Every structure is written in C-alpha cells, then in structure tokens.
C-alpha cells in the first residue's frame, strides 16, 4: 500500500475562527479523510518535533502532501533539505495552494514561484486541459468551486512537463492550477485549490484529484541510478 504523509502548517485553524469553522480538525485531517480508504496515511504538522518529518518518517513516505501559508520561514532548512533530497530520490511531492512558496517547492523549481491573488470568495472553474492524464481520471471536464481565493498569472514557475488544469476566475483571471514536474526520480504535482477559510478539501471532485495525484506521484521501481566515474 502506498505510504502517504500529509504535512500541514496547522496554524490558521487554531488561530482564526473562519479557518476553524472550515476545518475543525485541521486541513491535514480533511485531506487524510479523502485518502485513508486507499492509502496508508499519516499526518505531520509544523509544531511537531522536527515538524514531524524526521529521517525515519520520510524514509517510510512514498508521497508527501504539503499545505503551508503563513509560516513558510519557520520550516527549518534541515527539514526542507531533507524533503528536497527525498524528492530527488523518488518520493512523490504534492504542494497545495499557498505552498507555492513552501521551501521545498521553491528549491525544486528554482524560481520565485510568485503569483497574483485576491481573496474575494468568487467562483473558480478548473478546466481539465489534459483529459487523458491519470490525474484527470474520473473527472468531468470542469470542476466548479463556488467560493475561492483567486490566484492569477503570471505564475513564476518553470514550464510544467504536463499541465492538467487551468483555472478561470470570476474576475477574468486565469491560472495554471495543476502542474506536473519531474525532478531527479521524483514526481511533483502542484495543485492550486485549498484556501484555509473555504472547505474545498471536502469537495468530491477535489478529493478525487488528490487520490489520483497520489497514485500518479507514487515512486516506481525504475533502474538503479549510478553516477561518477565508470571503469
Ligand atoms: Zn489562500
């Protein structure tokens, strides 16, 4: 069974009423609920010792989901480096929403990962632009989310290997909401939806995307990686 670790900053839900209402047990538990029937799921948060991401935990993780926002800087460089290294060795990595600024993601991308945003509770439509992609399996052609925070282009990331979703927002903006990358042996899927005050991780289609993304990002055996001088 694929071993999944869901990492959450878990600050908004304890500090702001609107976030606590949306996610009474924390964003990590809402995501865990979407994945637990199919995967071996554990959770970790920023305030756990070593942020819950010790060498042993990452060694036992096939796919790491990450939600952070207001405390990216509090993630230690040691842990960010450890996550980075595990991705290069083959661990799947799924940064969500405001985790575009998470230390491991910006390191893996090598760009600012900046974007535009507006928190207005408007409608978002996520169009599937790669219908044959495994992450789109079982979806309709569009996912409509009635209340979201807007993210707009330009999104300062490298050109994705595959683009699965592009979002349209009521204000007219568009955004590359589902971006696939390979770094080393690792598969990375950036997925946009999920502001802390809108219960978007309870949406059935979003939960389907998360399950599909874990499946897609899971490590495969491949061939051995050997580097250096060859005799
Ligand atoms: Zn947000």
């Amino acid at each position: 069974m694929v071993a999944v670790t869901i990492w959450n900053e878990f600050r908004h839900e304890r500090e702001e009423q609107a976030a606590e209402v949306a996610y009474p047990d924390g964003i990590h538990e809402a995501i865990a609920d979407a994945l637990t029937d199919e995967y071996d799921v554990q959770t970790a948060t920023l305030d756990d010792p070593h942020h819950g991401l010790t060498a042993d935990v990452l060694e036992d993780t096939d796919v790491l989901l990450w939600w952070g926002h207001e405390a990216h800087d509090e993630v230690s460089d040691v842990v960010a480096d450890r996550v980075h290294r595990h991705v290069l060795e083959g661990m799947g990595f799924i940064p969500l929403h405001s985790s575009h600024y998470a230390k491991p993601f910006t390191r893996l991308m090598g760009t600012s990962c900046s974007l535009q945003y507006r928190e207005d509770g408007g409608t978002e439509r996520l169009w599937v632009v790669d219908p044959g992609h495994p992450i789109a399996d079982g979806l309709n052609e569009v996912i409509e989310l009635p209340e979201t925070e807007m993210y707009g282009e330009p999104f300062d990331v490298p050109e994705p290997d595959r683009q699965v979703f592009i979002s349209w927002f009521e204000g007219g903006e568009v955004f590359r909401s589902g971006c696939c990358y390979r770094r080393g042996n690792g598969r990375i899927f950036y997925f946009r939806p999920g502001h802390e005050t809108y219960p978007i991780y309870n949406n059935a289609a979003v939960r389907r995307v998360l399950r599909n993304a874990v499946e897609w990002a899971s490590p495969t055996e491949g061939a051995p990686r050997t580097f250096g001088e060859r005799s």
Side-chain angles (χ1 to χ4, degrees), residues 171-184:
E173 296 87 357
V174 295
F175 189 76
R176 288 170 290 169
S177 284
C179 305
C180 297
Y181 297 95
R182 288 292 303 267
R183 291 290 184 274

Side-chain angles (χ1 to χ4, degrees), residues 67 69 97-98 119 149 151 192 194-196:
W67 197 100
H69 179 228
H97 188 61
S98 39
E119 196 185 332
E149 174 187 28
Y151 275 12
R192 191 211 88 83
H195 188 68
E196 66 272 9

Side-chain angles (χ1 to χ4, degrees), residues 127-142:
W127 289 92
V128 177
V129 294
D130 190 356
H133 197 281
I135 293 176
D137 187 49
L139 300 177
N140 293 325
E141 63 179 1
V142 63

Side-chain angles (χ1 to χ4, degrees), residues 117-209:
Y117 65 94
R118 182 177 59 249
E119 196 185 332
D120 61 358
T123 298
E124 171 179 9
R125 289 188 191 133
L126 288 118
W127 289 92
V128 177
V129 294
D130 190 356
H133 197 281
I135 293 176
D137 187 49
L139 300 177
N140 293 325
E141 63 179 1
V142 63
I143 300 171
E144 181 156 327
L145 300 173
E147 272 192 309
T148 60
E149 174 187 28
M150 185 281 290
Y151 275 12
E153 297 280 346
F155 183 21
D156 184 25
V157 287
E159 193 70 26
D161 300 332
R162 300 295 295 195
Q163 186 73 55
V164 185
F165 301 101
I166 292 178
S167 287
W168 166 94
F169 295 88
E170 241 182 311
E173 296 87 357
V174 295
F175 189 76
R176 288 170 290 169
S177 284
C179 305
C180 297
Y181 297 95
R182 288 292 303 267
R183 291 290 184 274
N185 273 8
R187 294 184 185 141
I188 301 162
F189 179 62
Y190 170 80
F191 188 50
R192 191 211 88 83
H195 188 68
E196 66 272 9
T197 58
Y198 305 119
I200 282 163
Y201 296 123
N202 299 337
N203 177 285
V206 167
R207 289 159 78 97
R208 178 70 191 249
V209 171

Side-chain angles (χ1 to χ4, degrees), residues 5 42 44 52-61:
T5 300
Q42 61 179 332
L53 298 176
T54 62
D56 285 348
V57 166
L58 287 179
E59 197 58 49
D60 291 337
T61 298

Side-chain angles (χ1 to χ4, degrees), residues 98-114:
S98 39
S99 308
H100 63 94
Y101 274 149
K103 277 187 185 179
F105 185 60
T106 55
R107 285 174 194 207
L108 286 158
M109 295 296 105
T111 55
S112 75
C113 301
S114 293

